[in-house]
Amino acid sequence: MAKNNNLTKKIIIALILGLLVGFALNFFAPGLFGIIDPYVLYPLGQLFLKLIKMLVVPLVFVSIVLGVAGLGDPKKLGRIGTKTISYFLVTTTVAIVLAMAVGYMMKPGVNGTFDTEGASYEAAEAPPVIDTLLNIIPTNPIESMTSGNMLQIIAFAVFIGLALAVLGEKTSGVYKIVEQTNEIMMYLVNLVMKVAPYGAFALIASAIGKQGWDAFKVMGMYFTAVMLTLLIHTVVTYGGTVSLLGKMNPIKFFKGFAPAMSVAFSTSSSSATLPVSMDTAQKNLNVPKQVSSFVQPLGATINMDGTAIMQGVATIFIAQVYGVDLSMSQLLMVVLTAVLASIGTAGVPGVGLIMLAMVLKSVNLPVEGIALIIGIDRLLDMTRTAVNITGDAACAVIVAESEKKHVSSNQNSGLSV
């Protein structure tokens, strides 16, 4: 634990230094930033990102195979799956409702001058929800792995894990190989994390150096509203459910999961942070590997509370900027569309803005309004990614606690991990 705390301190210090250096370069020496960023900050940040992304697909595959095989009983898998998806849907609904409430209270789009005539945004089409659900089953698992289609990788791994659990001793050799592969992946995760502080510094300094204060001059209230909602949702929703349902002190939870949150903040990618978040949940929060290996990869793909909060505040903000009063039925449509979009756009690049475009279209708001928020979306994306993975970890803690009562009846079924 002391080693993890030391790493957390180093990453937090690196983030603070990155913020200061980024603002200083943007404000005092933009010319120097133009030299340092492409030759120092950008390469260092991308090196760190590529190192952890390199581990995502093999780690997710072997972890889920081991987790499902360890569960043994398909009924247990179904029970855990039901709890996980239910928690994700409920918290996403809470997030979007809370975001709209804060949007109406703070009114970020009422005061200020916004250039709506110059706003231009091309909305990308998101696949229908039913197509996404059907496409979960891969026709070519190898292609799914090479393209990084996480839902298909998860589905294939679940099938392999079930087969290992059912066949038992017949496939013990294969199980052993997967188990040893997992050990290799966790060793590599720990190795990559040694460069995390340097990568975090470079990523933050580069992002802040490009954005600076200019992005906040007009969009300050919108930025504040999103950040406030993210904070409330994290502390109240996650902290509350971890305390009531997970039987864990929220302070212990947030302190233990801080290393993963800091990496998520710097990378802005739930999938890229997955190796770190799983390792942190298992070691610091004592989440069983079987539960963590199923809940967190699934959450990194379909659980987007932070993104839902952005959508809620952005929808109200854009409606206020364009002077549109949304009816109660339209507000309910926003909630429904945002929740369904979190599943329907899983794994789609640029998912946050695609989901927002879907929400705006559902209530006939101009999609061009997205152009108003793109300027500071990169900075908000850092924070909402940290919120997204924190929700995954909270769910893992709660599912693990709820499964304790079933341990005695299932401890002898399947293979033990």
Side-chain angles (χ1 to χ4, degrees), residues 83-92 237-238 241 391 394-395 398:
K83 292 176 184 177
T84 300
I85 294 175
S86 297
Y87 182 85
F88 290 160
L89 291 176
V90 169
T91 55
T92 300
T237 305
Y238 296 154
T241 54
C395 182
I398 291 167

Side-chain angles (χ1 to χ4, degrees), residues 36-254:
I36 294 177
D37 183 55
Y39 295 105
V40 179
L41 298 178
Y42 178 80
L44 182 57
Q46 290 303 306
L47 173 64
F48 174 58
L49 271 179
K50 287 180 178 295
L51 284 172
I52 55 179
K53 285 182 177 180
M54 172 184 70
L55 305 176
V56 172
V57 170
L59 179 63
V60 168
F61 179 75
V62 298
S63 296
I64 290 182
V65 169
L66 287 177
V68 173
L71 294 176
D73 184 5
K75 291 182 179 179
K76 185 175 183 180
L77 177 62
R79 186 172 65 240
I80 290 178
T82 300
K83 292 176 184 177
T84 300
I85 294 175
S86 297
Y87 182 85
F88 290 160
L89 291 176
V90 169
T91 55
T92 300
T93 303
V94 170
I96 191 79
V97 171
L98 178 63
M100 291 192 297
V102 171
Y104 274 116
M105 286 189 290
M106 294 188 64
K107 296 180 171 55
V110 172
N111 298 314
T113 303
F114 304 98
D115 183 15
T116 55
E117 292 184 4
S120 177
Y121 178 80
E122 188 70 27
E125 288 294 330
V129 175
I130 190 65
D131 286 353
T132 301
L133 295 176
L134 290 174
N135 288 333
I136 289 176
I137 307 300
T139 55
N140 186 339
I142 304 301
E143 183 183 354
S144 301
M145 292 181 183
T146 57
S147 63
N149 190 317
M150 295 307 297
L151 280 180
Q152 293 185 351
I153 294 170
I154 291 170
F156 183 60
V158 167
F159 283 120
I160 297 295
L162 283 173
L164 291 176
V166 172
L167 295 173
E169 289 299 321
K170 294 181 181 179
T171 54
S172 59
V174 176
Y175 180 86
K176 191 68 176 178
I177 292 174
V178 177
E179 196 171 36
Q180 291 171 340
T181 303
N182 186 65
E183 291 298 324
I184 293 173
M185 299 311 302
M186 296 316 298
Y187 169 79
L188 292 177
V189 168
N190 292 327
L191 191 64
V192 170
M193 284 307 294
K194 291 182 179 180
V195 302
Y198 308 101
F201 168 82
L203 288 168
I204 295 302
S206 179
I208 298 298
K210 291 173 183 174
Q211 300 289 328
W213 291 107
D214 292 340
F216 295 97
K217 290 180 180 178
V218 177
M219 303 297 294
M221 281 297 289
Y222 169 76
F223 183 89
T224 303
V226 175
M227 292 294 287
L228 177 62
T229 312
L230 290 169
L231 177 63
I232 295 172
H233 188 66
T234 301
V235 173
V236 178
T237 305
Y238 296 154
T241 54
V242 163
S243 177
L244 295 175
L245 303 177
K247 310 299 181 186
M248 179 180 290
N249 187 321
I251 296 177
K252 176 185 176 182
F253 170 76
F254 290 120

Side-chain angles (χ1 to χ4, degrees), residues 239-293:
T241 54
V242 163
S243 177
L244 295 175
L245 303 177
K247 310 299 181 186
M248 179 180 290
N249 187 321
I251 296 177
K252 176 185 176 182
F253 170 76
F254 290 120
K255 185 177 180 180
F257 199 62
M261 294 172 68
S262 57
V263 172
F265 182 80
S266 62
T267 62
S268 299
S269 172
S270 297
S271 295
T273 313
L274 192 53
V276 182
S277 60
M278 290 173 61
D279 186 53
T280 305
Q282 293 169 21
K283 291 182 178 177
N284 294 3
L285 304 179
N286 298 318
V287 176
K289 187 177 292 185
Q290 299 99 319
V291 174
S292 169
S293 298

